[in-house]
Amino acid sequence: MLFLLRQFEKTMDTISKILEQSSFSHSDLEQLLLCVGDEKSLLFKKSSDIKTLFVGNKVYFRGLIEFSNVCDKDCYYCGIRNSNLFVRRYNLTDGEILDAARFADENRFGSIVLQSGENCSPAFADRITNLLKQIKQLSKGKLGISLSVGEQSESVYRRWFEAGAHRYLLRIETSNQALFHKIHPDDLHHDFNRRMDCLHALKAIGYQTGTGVMIGLPFQTISDLANDLLFFQQFGIDMVGMGPYIEHSDTPLYAFRDQLLSLQERFDLSLKMIAILRVLMKDINIAAATALQAIDPLGREKGIKVGANIIMPNVTPGLYRNDYSLYENKPCVDEEPAQCKGCLDARVALANGEICYEEWGDSIHFMKRKKGE
Ligand code: SAM
């Protein structure tokens, strides 16, 4: 027993020493990802303190408009993949998208995110350009706009930037190239290097650049996750949105469900990823992903407590929510936007956060990068 206690003290000591360091090796990150009990509490206390110090306790809203589930891609994990014939496809009208943006503006959300399945047609590029201009106009420039519509050409990214989008989210999904290719079809449309090129293009154009990974994928290891964290740091990413992988029965990866960590373990690992990332990259924006809430009703609030500072309340009209089913048990699918907002006010207060209305909440990391600091 005493021996066990000594061992335990040694580990606590190790974790607290790692947390005092100014840089972290791959092995340090693995140790942090594996910490449990009091060690984990220590990590969460540290990440929460760092968050307060570097980005404050403000939580910024990004009203999420999932405007279409039509997708050209066939990612093996995603419920809206092109080959899934069980999905009822939808595409909001421009009027519906503008109404959702108006709702976000009227409810004093600082920003919105336009997200959809992937479409690389010129007509899609034109449509987004026009929507960006109209949203800027209807909100008198007040609404910040993030885009999350996948891989596009550099010229399209540039056009959208010029039309008013200033943040872009494109998850790398995993920084392990071999794993990336295991969870995507083996063709030119699902290429790791192409995705990396897109991230570099977005950064060069001047977007606040966001990426992320899924946590708890089949075949993924703790070493992969440690590398994901190092990748975010080496790339100098401005924002991260990452969350647990959740299986969907109508996707190829469902065949590997027996190899997965339990949902609770994936949730726990996701919180640790958020906390460690906050310690590693103190001034970036970190979103508390909706997938956290699919596992735990207070999932996003727990994400806020350990280091996240962004929440993306869904402002897609309730009618369509059920059909943007990336994974099973997606939360809030049967609510209307107004209900969603009321519920979040109370939830963020529970996590000692303070919702910041009418502000963009830009990434401090990005602003320093821009100034060359
Ligand atoms: N088409 C855009 C793109 O690829 O960036 C945006 C839409 S895509 C559906 C948004 C994100 O959903 C993906 O980057 C992926 O990480 C996440 N996602 C898809 N299927 C998921 C699953 N089964 N579990 C958790 N997250 C999932």
Side-chain angles (χ1 to χ4, degrees):
M1 186 68 189
L2 198 60
F3 170 73
L4 271 180
L5 201 63
R6 294 233 169 89
Q7 281 283 92
F8 172 72
E9 280 168 2
K10 185 164 164 275
T11 339
M12 276 293 281
D13 202 33
T14 315
I15 293 295
S16 81
K17 275 199 184 119
I18 293 177
L19 287 172
E20 290 312 317
Q21 294 169 192
S22 56
S23 65
F24 301 85
S25 67
H26 181 267
S27 139
D28 293 336
L29 296 174
E30 281 186 320
Q31 293 207 51
L32 291 173
L33 283 165
L34 290 170
C35 70
V36 289
D38 285 356
E39 306 164 0
K40 192 171 76 174
S41 308
L42 206 64
L43 165 65
F44 288 170
K45 166 90 176 64
K46 179 81 180 182
S47 61
S48 164
D49 288 351
I50 288 182
K51 176 183 144 178
T52 309
L53 207 61
F54 285 82
V55 294
N57 281 333
K58 288 181 178 171
V59 174
Y60 298 94
F61 274 176
R62 315 276 185 246
L64 177 63
I65 309 175
E66 296 165 332
F67 66 91
S68 169
N69 65 357
V70 179
C71 190
D72 288 346
K73 291 240 168 138
D74 235 347
C75 309
Y76 290 155
Y77 45 84
C78 185
I80 62 166
R81 64 196 299 267
N82 189 277
S83 298
N84 184 5
L85 301 178
F86 299 111
V87 181
R88 192 172 48 173
R89 302 287 167 177
Y90 72 87
N91 194 353
L92 261 60
T93 63
D94 285 4
E96 286 170 321
I97 297 173
L98 296 175
D99 281 348
R102 202 169 286 115
F103 170 87
D105 187 39
E106 284 167 359
N107 284 278
R108 301 161 51 229
F109 288 19
S111 303
I112 54 165
V113 181
L114 291 178
Q115 190 180 83
S116 73
E118 215 142 302
N119 181 340
C120 290
S121 70
F124 183 80
D126 289 346
R127 182 181 186 210
I128 299 293
T129 309
N130 290 332
L131 282 166
L132 288 168
K133 289 179 183 160
Q134 288 181 75
I135 292 168
K136 281 286 165 191
Q137 209 169 23
L138 76 81
S139 70
K140 301 191 179 62
K142 275 201 293 153
L143 274 181
I145 311 176
S146 310
L147 288 175
S148 174
V149 292
E151 293 166 28
Q152 305 283 339
S153 69
E154 192 175 338
S155 61
V156 167
Y157 284 150
R158 195 175 297 282
R159 263 178 72 196
W160 291 344
F161 185 71
E162 283 159 8
H166 74 296
R167 306 186 193 109
Y168 205 103
L169 293 168
L170 181 69
R171 283 187 178 182
I172 192 74
E173 314 297 1
T174 169
S175 63
N176 176 338
Q177 191 162 352
L179 177 57
F180 183 96
H181 287 291
K182 265 193 185 153
I183 62 171
H184 294 98
D186 184 16
D187 61 33
L188 286 176
H189 298 300
H190 302 82
D191 182 54
F192 180 83
N193 291 319
R194 158 121 177 88
R195 195 167 285 227
M196 281 294 286
D197 289 347
C198 286
L199 283 172
H200 283 291
L202 290 163
K203 193 175 178 188
I205 289 167
Y207 281 97
Q208 286 175 52
T209 308
T211 193
V213 293
M214 283 177 286
I215 297 154
L217 284 162
F219 322 115
Q220 192 179 43
T221 62
I222 289 292
S223 169
D224 288 331
L225 293 173
N227 279 327
D228 291 340
L229 291 164
L230 290 171
F231 163 73
F232 297 148
Q233 192 183 36
Q234 279 151 15
F235 188 93
I237 208 74
D238 302 307
M239 343 180 274
V240 170
M242 57 184 171
Y245 160 70
I246 301 175
E247 59 273 33
H248 189 298
S249 56
D250 299 324
T251 61
L253 273 199
Y254 195 65
F256 301 96
R257 64 191 175 285
D258 294 343
Q259 299 180 20
L260 297 172
L261 293 174
S262 71
L263 277 176
Q264 193 50 48
E265 285 168 322
R266 276 175 265 166
F267 178 82
D268 199 50
L269 206 46
S270 301
L271 288 189
K272 283 193 262 183
M273 283 287 282
I274 292 177
I276 301 168
L277 184 62
R278 177 56 72 201
V279 177
L280 204 60
M281 300 187 76
K282 299 179 170 44
D283 55 3
I284 62 169
N285 277 348
I286 305 179
T290 310
L292 288 170
Q293 202 192 336
I295 299 180
D296 180 325
L298 284 175
R300 283 183 300 190
E301 296 67 22
K302 291 182 179 170
I304 295 288
K305 257 193 162 152
V306 303
N309 64 332
I310 304 288
I311 286 197
M312 297 173 26
N314 203 327
V315 296
T316 313
L319 188 63
Y320 301 101
R321 299 260 189 100
N322 221 358
D323 299 318
Y324 200 82
S325 46
L326 311 180
Y327 44 79
E328 281 164 0
N329 216 5
K330 197 165 169 247
C332 296
V333 287
D334 49 3
E335 283 183 353
E336 278 297 324
Q339 286 170 295
C340 222
K341 181 190 165 272
C343 131
L344 270 167
D345 278 326
R347 283 160 166 270
V348 170
L350 275 180
N352 305 328
E354 181 202 330
I355 296 176
C356 198
Y357 287 102
E358 290 184 320
E359 278 186 41
W360 284 7
D362 279 339
S363 157
I364 295 175
H365 181 269
F366 170 80
M367 291 190 280
K368 285 189 190 156
R369 187 158 71 74
K370 224 168 115 185
K371 280 195 222 148
E373 279 174 30

